[in-house]
Amino acid sequence: MSDNATKASLNTEFIIDTEEILADYRLAIESREVSLMGRKDVFMGRAKFGIFGDGKEVAQIALSKVFRKGDFRSGYYRDQTMVAALGGLTWTQLFSQLYAHADINYDIFSGGRSMNAHYGNAWVDKDGNWLNQTELYNHVMDVSSTAGQIPRSVGLAFASKLYRQNPQLKSFDKFSINGNEVCFSTIGDASTSQGMFFEAINAAGVLQVPVIFSVWDDGYGISVPTEFQTTKGSISEALAGFQRTPNKPGLEIIKVEGWNYVELIKAYQKAARLSRDEHIPCLVHVYDITQPQGHSASGSHERYKSKERLKWEDEMDCNVQFRKWIIEEKIADAGTLDEIEEEAKETAKKARHEAWEAYKAFINKDVYEVVAYIDEALKLHPKRKVSLLRYKKELKGSAAIRKDATKVAKKLVRELAKEKSPVIKKLKAFLAKIEKDTELQYHKHLYSEFDNSPLKVKEVKAAFADKPEILSGYQIINKYFDQLLDKDPRVFAIGEDVGQIGDVNQGFAGLQAKHGKLKVDDTGIREATIIGQGIGAAMRGLKPIVEVQYFDYIYYCLASLTDDLACLRYRTFGQQQAPLIVRTRGHRLEGIWHSGSPMAVMIHSLRGMHIICPRNFVQAAGLYNTLLNGEDPALMIEPLNSYRLKEKLPTNLSEMTVPLGQPEILKEGSDITIVTYGSMCNIVMAAASELAEYGINAEVIDVQTLLPFDLSGTILKSLKTTNRIIFADEDMPGGATAFMMQQVLDEQEGYHFLDSKPVTVTAKEHRPPYGSDGDYFSKPNADDIVDAAYQIMREAKPTKYPDL
């Protein structure tokens, strides 16, 4: 502390350095200025959309003072001041993201992929290896979906609990120092109406983990005032029952005004002390916050705020109140603060100018190149002058971007084709370069492209004794999990009924008693935060296996899976990862809410995760091993009706690996190819045996994984031999069978080898009714497969296969 330290307030309990106070004021003003300029940029057409953290500057500066290296921020799109205070954001970088500068050196958070105000930091190096998180101020890449950042907050904090209480994890010092890390989760007041928030509050209170939820309460959710959002008009009053007592754990609930610099610092010091030292979750309700520019650049708050409210916001603006307090406490005079404000404006202007010039240079090099080709074409083809000048005019405007250059280049190729112009070769080279550049800028890093990709795990085949032990499927997977928990201290399993009874199908039977509650434990019925618990822990170097008890229940947590987990690597340009395995069980369970096969929903919602569908539990063990040797997230759908089927126990259960994207031929055949997966494998194999009685030799292929799908072209090779194909599964029409058909016939160009119409065999459009009859008539069975295959063969050889 310097000699010119001054008391911040007459009643404050701490001393704040004068220089620190003035630096805080400078940061608050700079942050406000970039917000104001950013909004103007949207209206000028420089940016598509803008959302900013104005009105929250002082609260976020106070929070940043207790944020330590190793801590995590799990926030949303208002946290610019906090991130800047921690050195994770420059104002030039803020504007670069606003302009969608598709260069990771400028938009360092997403490389132009995420809209503005979404901030993260790199957790992996250029080779995909984990960095030392204890040396970093960690920011989980933000999500726009309201309350979407909250479920993972539980997991980020839960990891601290595991690192503190599990002695097996003490050596993993790149991720934790004795569990001292806090997760700071931020949310707007209106978003606390989401079920995810209430579920997370409850989970945090039960688990007693170090998470601090900061609620920025500006009185509105876009235009809807708090009294229509929250019981009692106050989230802290609505949650009062969660307040901890001397006899019962809960949350510490703290209320503080959003403009009160001193009280904000005291509030966050209290919350951080409780959370960091004692692992007590806290809720900091920051109220009386203003939002000077309204919700976003999409509208004006004058439309829904009264004149009285607007006048109050002008007077109680946190920066206005901060300035007033500094002068009253004689920390600095008005002239000094005026000078700081002018310098802050210049700093913001300079950052904006630097970002815009860099962005335009990035854009213009492509625009100017196409303009040069137009000029060349004008000299060579004067009769095309009118159209060529029209194209040139399109690119001469200040708003021209790479999209415009690319569109004009493609039009030029089409127009000049008849001229056999030498410019065409240059235009095609330009388009090839654009395609290559944009492949990297916009399409890479959906999955790991490093050596830690599970796709690079080498196959280790199952080995068996001369007289292998024969066990039920659930016993196989139970032995596997037992060995896994012994082998890897990073692995833990949680879910409904997973702990004491060992899950509803006994995969973890007896393992809590053997390995302890920190390794195998029960959760409440709260799928969204079960997933969040796993996501956050996986972000901190652990290997969670979290259970959604039955596949149909996955809809409860689908938002977190698709908005947060599946796209995490993509939206951070490969800089963040969360290798979570979501375990569930599906296929063939009867009834509307337990039918277990919403595959198309998963395929199209969860790109960025691997989707695994083993037919039995030896295969499941091998696929688990493959996933655990990589750093990608996955959804593992165990075959529900195979838990009691008998299998041979491998001798290398914990070492065997099954490669992803590699189908297995279960039965060779020459007449027709039948492609399926999971529990349908047994049904198709039974149908193939019956088809053999009619002289039809079917080849049966188990795809094993839907994402990735058949990387080896196994199905295509089969189709080249049989020239006929059926895709079968339990999903609804147009679901996963349509996906498989598109992959084989379109993507792999299998249509060349068809002699008969390709056929899909699926469930009916509705969910299956309860009971065995309902199942038989609603989901595909062996008779359906036999009928479909026979009809295909009859069309090809009607004499050999008479009408049945």
Side-chain angles (χ1 to χ4, degrees), residues 530-577:
I530 291 172
I531 294 300
Q533 209 169 325
I535 293 173
M539 289 173 169
R540 297 191 57 188
L542 298 173
K543 292 283 191 176
I545 299 174
V546 304
E547 181 168 309
V548 174
Q549 193 167 88
Y550 291 110
F551 196 10
D552 299 83
Y553 303 165
I554 204 157
Y555 293 110
Y556 286 95
C557 53
L558 186 58
S560 291
L561 290 173
T562 185
D563 289 342
D564 199 2
L565 180 61
C567 64
L568 176 68
R569 191 184 291 278
Y570 172 80
R571 71 179 191 269
T572 63
F573 206 82
Q575 297 179 111
Q576 295 186 358
Q577 59 191 20

Side-chain angles (χ1 to χ4, degrees), residues 738-801:
F739 165 75
M740 293 191 291
M741 180 183 285
Q742 181 269 334
Q743 289 287 297
V744 175
L745 302 188
D746 180 10
E747 188 73 20
Q748 299 179 10
E749 298 189 340
Y751 70 92
H752 288 294
F753 308 101
L754 287 172
D755 286 345
S756 299
K757 181 184 79 170
V759 170
T760 63
V761 178
T762 70
K764 299 299 183 182
E765 293 182 351
H766 53 78
R767 297 187 182 197
Y770 173 67
S772 297
D773 281 347
D775 174 77
Y776 176 85
F777 291 109
S778 298
K779 284 200 170 188
N781 51 65
D783 294 328
D784 295 329
I785 303 296
V786 170
D787 290 344
Y790 188 93
Q791 185 60 32
I792 290 172
M793 296 306 298
R794 170 170 161 69
E795 289 174 356
K797 302 175 182 179
T799 304
K800 184 174 181 180
Y801 301 105

Side-chain angles (χ1 to χ4, degrees), residues 327-344:
I327 293 172
E328 287 177 350
E329 293 295 321
K330 296 183 172 52
I331 295 165
D333 58 24
T336 300
L337 298 185
D338 289 343
E339 186 177 337
I340 288 174
E341 289 167 13
E342 286 302 314
E343 291 171 353

Side-chain angles (χ1 to χ4, degrees), residues 309-426:
R309 172 70 189 194
L310 292 169
K311 182 175 183 292
W312 179 87
E313 290 200 4
D314 287 341
E315 294 172 353
M316 300 308 297
D317 183 290
C318 64
N319 289 2
V320 171
Q321 290 295 314
F322 195 9
R323 176 188 170 100
K324 181 180 177 183
W325 174 80
I326 291 172
I327 293 172
E328 287 177 350
E329 293 295 321
K330 296 183 172 52
I331 295 165
D333 58 24
T336 300
L337 298 185
D338 289 343
E339 186 177 337
I340 288 174
E341 289 167 13
E342 286 302 314
E343 291 171 353
K345 289 179 182 179
E346 289 303 313
T347 297
K349 287 179 183 178
K350 183 180 177 182
R352 176 176 179 256
H353 177 75
E354 288 176 354
W356 181 249
E357 290 302 311
Y359 172 69
K360 287 304 293 181
F362 176 74
I363 296 300
N364 285 342
K365 67 179 187 295
D366 294 323
V367 174
Y368 293 162
E369 185 175 347
V370 177
V371 169
Y373 296 143
I374 295 173
D375 288 339
E376 185 176 347
L378 280 166
K379 294 177 183 178
L380 294 171
H381 314 290
K383 66 179 182 180
R384 301 280 182 182
K385 182 177 179 179
V386 173
S387 59
L388 291 175
L389 287 175
R390 185 175 70 249
Y391 296 145
K392 188 172 181 178
K393 184 178 180 181
E394 289 180 28
L395 298 181
K396 277 298 187 180
S398 61
I401 57 178
R402 297 166 80 203
K403 176 190 77 171
D404 303 306
T406 303
K407 291 174 68 175
V408 167
K410 290 181 176 181
K411 290 177 183 177
L412 281 169
V413 169
R414 292 192 287 267
E415 180 156 338
L416 298 177
K418 292 182 180 179
E419 306 288 346
K420 298 183 179 179
S421 174
V423 181
I424 290 178
K425 183 177 180 181
K426 296 178 182 179

Side-chain angles (χ1 to χ4, degrees), residues 203-225:
V206 170
L207 292 169
Q208 289 295 287
V209 290
V211 57
I212 298 173
F213 299 101
S214 293
V215 179
W216 311 135
D217 183 359
D218 57 31
Y220 291 84
I222 305 185
S223 67
V224 181

Side-chain angles (χ1 to χ4, degrees), residues 407-637:
K407 291 174 68 175
V408 167
K410 290 181 176 181
K411 290 177 183 177
L412 281 169
V413 169
R414 292 192 287 267
E415 180 156 338
L416 298 177
K418 292 182 180 179
E419 306 288 346
K420 298 183 179 179
S421 174
V423 181
I424 290 178
K425 183 177 180 181
K426 296 178 182 179
L427 288 166
K428 287 184 175 180
F430 168 80
L431 291 170
K433 176 177 71 71
I434 286 288
E435 185 175 359
K436 182 179 179 181
D437 289 347
T438 54
E439 174 67 24
L440 170 63
Q441 291 155 355
Y442 298 124
H443 309 311
K444 291 289 186 180
H445 301 299
L446 182 59
Y447 298 91
S448 172
E449 295 171 8
F450 305 113
D451 288 341
N452 62 22
S453 168
L455 299 182
K456 297 184 179 181
V457 175
K458 294 183 179 179
E459 181 180 13
V460 177
K461 293 185 179 295
F464 297 94
D466 290 339
K467 294 183 179 179
E469 188 176 359
I470 306 298
L471 299 174
S472 296
Y474 79 91
Q475 295 172 309
I476 297 279
I477 203 66
N478 180 267
K479 283 186 176 292
Y480 168 73
F481 286 139
D482 187 15
Q483 294 174 20
L484 176 63
L485 292 165
D486 273 333
K487 179 181 177 181
D488 193 338
R490 300 171 300 168
V491 174
F492 69 89
I494 58 170
E496 299 163 22
D497 303 302
V498 166
Q500 184 175 0
I501 69 168
D503 85 44
V504 290
N505 290 97
Q506 299 295 280
F508 282 96
L511 299 188
Q512 184 185 74
K514 178 177 179 181
H515 297 278
K517 290 186 176 182
L518 294 175
K519 299 283 284 181
V520 182
D521 206 7
D522 293 309
T523 67
I525 301 176
R526 49 174 181 84
E527 281 80 8
T529 47
I530 291 172
I531 294 300
Q533 209 169 325
I535 293 173
M539 289 173 169
R540 297 191 57 188
L542 298 173
K543 292 283 191 176
I545 299 174
V546 304
E547 181 168 309
V548 174
Q549 193 167 88
Y550 291 110
F551 196 10
D552 299 83
Y553 303 165
I554 204 157
Y555 293 110
Y556 286 95
C557 53
L558 186 58
S560 291
L561 290 173
T562 185
D563 289 342
D564 199 2
L565 180 61
C567 64
L568 176 68
R569 191 184 291 278
Y570 172 80
R571 71 179 191 269
T572 63
F573 206 82
Q575 297 179 111
Q576 295 186 358
Q577 59 191 20
L580 168 66
I581 297 178
V582 180
R583 179 194 184 216
T584 189
R585 49 190 63 82
H587 315 307
R588 228 60 199 184
L589 187 61
E590 297 172 359
I592 291 171
W593 294 282
H594 299 86
S595 55
S597 298
M599 300 306 304
V601 178
M602 301 303 109
I603 293 167
H604 300 302
S605 299
L606 302 182
R607 300 296 171 101
M609 294 179 67
H610 300 295
I611 297 183
I612 315 299
C613 309
R615 66 182 181 273
N616 60 39
F617 287 93
V618 170
Q619 296 300 102
L623 288 161
Y624 272 118
N625 283 331
T626 301
L627 294 170
L628 288 162
N629 280 312
E631 298 289 356
D632 276 339
L635 173 65
M636 174 72 74
I637 305 157

Side-chain angles (χ1 to χ4, degrees), residues 105-320:
N105 296 303
Y106 289 90
D107 172 8
I108 65 168
F109 312 106
S110 73
R113 296 179 178 186
S114 282
M115 77 176 195
N116 84 296
H118 289 61
Y119 309 120
N121 68 298
W123 300 338
V124 300
D125 62 20
K126 61 181 179 62
D127 299 315
N129 301 309
W130 287 104
L131 295 172
N132 190 333
Q133 292 182 341
T134 67
E135 297 175 351
L136 304 171
Y137 296 115
N138 297 290
H139 303 279
V140 184
M141 190 65 171
D142 302 313
V143 294
S144 289
S145 48
T146 52
Q149 72 277 22
I150 297 300
R152 69 183 181 215
S153 304
V154 176
L156 290 162
F158 180 65
S160 289
K161 179 177 181 177
L162 294 180
Y163 280 119
R164 178 171 289 185
Q165 296 186 12
N166 185 353
Q168 295 179 340
L169 297 175
K170 296 302 180 185
S171 62
F172 293 90
D173 53 6
K174 289 172 63 174
F175 301 100
S176 178
I177 300 175
N178 195 39
N180 293 334
E181 303 76 29
V182 174
C183 173
F184 291 86
S185 187
T186 63
I187 187 170
D189 179 68
S191 295
T192 63
S193 298
Q194 292 279 6
M196 286 180 177
F197 176 78
F198 283 95
E199 189 173 313
I201 290 290
N202 184 56
V206 170
L207 292 169
Q208 289 295 287
V209 290
V211 57
I212 298 173
F213 299 101
S214 293
V215 179
W216 311 135
D217 183 359
D218 57 31
Y220 291 84
I222 305 185
S223 67
V224 181
T226 301
E227 54 264 33
F228 294 113
Q229 301 273 6
T230 308
T231 299
K232 300 181 180 179
S234 167
I235 191 61
S236 54
E237 291 183 32
L239 295 178
F242 285 91
Q243 172 64 50
R244 69 192 182 107
T245 65
N247 299 319
K248 291 187 177 181
L251 277 74
E252 181 68 17
I253 298 177
I254 301 167
K255 286 188 67 175
V256 60
E257 295 151 318
W259 50 266
N260 194 324
Y261 177 72
V262 173
E263 293 303 316
L264 282 162
I265 293 173
K266 290 164 65 176
Y268 278 108
Q269 284 183 334
K270 177 182 179 181
R273 183 173 63 252
L274 290 171
S275 201
R276 195 180 306 281
D277 297 346
E278 302 179 51
H279 279 195
I280 294 170
C282 298
L283 175 83
V284 181
H285 179 192
V286 185
Y287 66 99
D288 278 358
I289 280 180
T290 66
Q291 197 154 270
Q293 298 188 109
H295 174 265
S296 69
S298 62
S300 171
H301 62 157
E302 284 84 358
R303 293 178 300 163
Y304 52 85
K305 290 179 181 175
S306 67
K307 291 181 180 179
E308 292 75 19
R309 172 70 189 194
L310 292 169
K311 182 175 183 292
W312 179 87
E313 290 200 4
D314 287 341
E315 294 172 353
M316 300 308 297
D317 183 290
C318 64
N319 289 2
V320 171

